Amino acid sequence: MKALFRGVWAGLFCCLVLVVASTAYAENQYCTPDLYPDYPVECVDSSYWWCCADGTACAYDQYGGLCCAPAATPVCCVDYTGTYYWYCAQGQACGTSDDECIGSATTTTTSIAGGTTTTTTIAGTSTTTVPGGSSTTTTTGGGGTSSGFIVGVNTNGQDVATVQSSGTLPGTSPSVSSGMLYDREGRVVPQMYDRVFAPLDPDLIERAFDDAGQQSIAAAAISAYGVGDQRSFWVKDEKDTAWRQVAATVKKESTHGILFVEDSLSIPDATLDTYIQEFEVMYTVVGDNIGTFTDRDGNNQVSILLYAINDGGSVSGYTGGYFWMKDYFTDAETSAQGIRSNEMDIIYIRGDEPAGWEQVGGDFYASNLTTLAHEYQHLVHFGIKVWVPQDANGASDTWIDEMMAMATETMYFKKKLADDPTYTFDGMQGSGYLTQRIQYYDADMNGSIRNGHGLTYWNSNGDVLANYALSYLFGQYLSIQSSKGQGIFKEILDYMQANSVNDYRAVAGAAAQSISGVQTWEDLLKSWAIANMANSPTGLFGYQGALSVTPKGPTTAITTMNSGGVVYRLVTGEATAPRNAGRDVKFYDANGNQLAGGSSSCAASQVLGGDSFEANLLRRFRDDVLKGTPDGSYLAALYYHHSDELKGLMAADASLKAETASVLLRLLPALQNILEGNAPVVLPGLQADIDALCESISGLASPGLQDALEEVRNIAIQDIVL
């Protein structure tokens, strides 16, 4: 088996260079002064030449060449495995991992139309000085045309914690100081969030959906409540160490709601009237744009519990309310997981002021009113996606559910304004938009949004308020741009159900059907990213004048970006995408054109065709298997070193390209097995074909590539995939 895998890997090496070459560096070109007069500095490694710009020096490692700018400008670093170099700004030191720089970068004062901004100097690229107002604007040059600003977007739409590098960013950051959020009267803007719970055991959900479970649920149906009725509720908040019971009494009821209030609270009766009356408005708004709730307990009403939430919250961050799917299951079933159920369709709303409310002023209960709509949407969403279809794995990605929940708050405001144009609400701006979400984006208090905090990765343990701000703005962009208006959210849910997807693909699919100029997720994400900076009153690159935001730029020359993360840079003249950016990080100018440079288009398309399943499978093997071990990383480095030569051989010899494609396609099942955690199965005769392919390549290869083919046969592939 060991010998077999060495042989398989040698053949795979011959083929996969077509894939990994997608991040080969542009400087690694065969050159002579006659062919490249603009790049007179020549460097040579053990097998080939490359060119550096005039005035720069060659940086060399054992796997490939790079060009470093003069030492007076950047710090040129080698990564911890010795595989390649990267730049740090002058005044910074190299970190212990690739792309990490430590210390403070130098700054310059940049005059841009509209004011003077302190920005970070980026090393490793040429700079151009251009007149700009009363002082000098310093920007970073590149090789592709941009106008005003560029955006970098991590186009990965998955809700995963992995990050990708922005690469060494060109230009300067549109950065201003951030701090506490205040409104125009100098009052603190409160920051509310709800709780996001870990999913229940899928087996529990499946049991609830079988015949016995359905009978158990029916038997647990609760009789209708009336004003004055009492009962206790199981709760466990963030500061609780154990489940506790809250005694509460029905204070108000309506056609679709029952309002319970914890007995220890004293809430004005007029406030309770407002809550139950406005819930009926919210019920209608959500019904028109999302759907209706699933009646768990047979009384055709949603229970609402106002109680003192023990979360230690303050005005800078507190739990305004929540919905928890566990209440749709029997207490006997959830108790097995250490969770208590109230066996009813219920939403929980904060009934006590968070600490520091005096800094906000005004009526807390009025401020928290729209949390009713927010949490009710979660309850409805759960019914549509999980309970009614009986799909244990049907829950939407968190960012989508939260996006729709916040959208219902704006829907409610728009309904109130439609009924009464003089309507006002403390926390509403313009024609119904949420002040706290927009202002949090603008302030970016923790600097996370500007540094690539992801739209689609819900970071409950990080700056979760940034997640709320991003999801809210993205949702409003959708509804403003869509021909369906606020109906786009129901379109997304319908797409999910029709296509059995629960993530960004449903958003992209629904958007493609109702937003002109959007066909893919990348189209949608980049257009929204540009809109946040451009704020155009018409077209895709703005919010149609309904609202505007002010993004900032990264605080460092290189940052790590979550899925759906965005970074902004100001540029003048030419700019190119960073060559060391992550696989899914793409850069666009203010007109939506993708910048040249960065990771080149995947060369696997030469044999497998563009963004095919097969090509993506090879990329997954490269990233998920190879780069997870020292040997795999070393092999990847060899790919980069010999990529240009191998691509040239394939381009020049059609029969070699066809032979490579044949071997690759027959090898893919074994790679898929490895990715799925199973033992690889190699088709009969494939080993001989791999050996023949290696011989074909070796016969045309340079001495350096021939040595690499021999070297790769001696690597114990078990250390990588077994």
Side-chain angles (χ1 to χ4, degrees), residues 412-450:
Y412 167 74
F413 285 147
K414 288 184 176 294
K415 169 62 175 171
K416 298 296 288 185
L417 285 166
D419 293 342
D420 178 9
T422 66
Y423 174 80
T424 60
F425 188 90
D426 192 12
M428 179 190 79
Q429 70 179 57
S431 55
Y433 300 102
L434 306 186
T435 299
Q436 63 171 304
R437 306 307 181 195
I438 295 171
Q439 289 194 357
Y440 194 90
Y441 178 90
D442 285 346
D444 193 15
M445 297 166 59
N446 297 304
S448 56
I449 297 174
R450 71 182 74 180

Side-chain angles (χ1 to χ4, degrees), residues 21 110 209 412 459 492 544 670 696:
T110 303
F209 291 153
Y412 167 74
N459 187 2
I492 293 170
Q544 305 289 322
S696 296

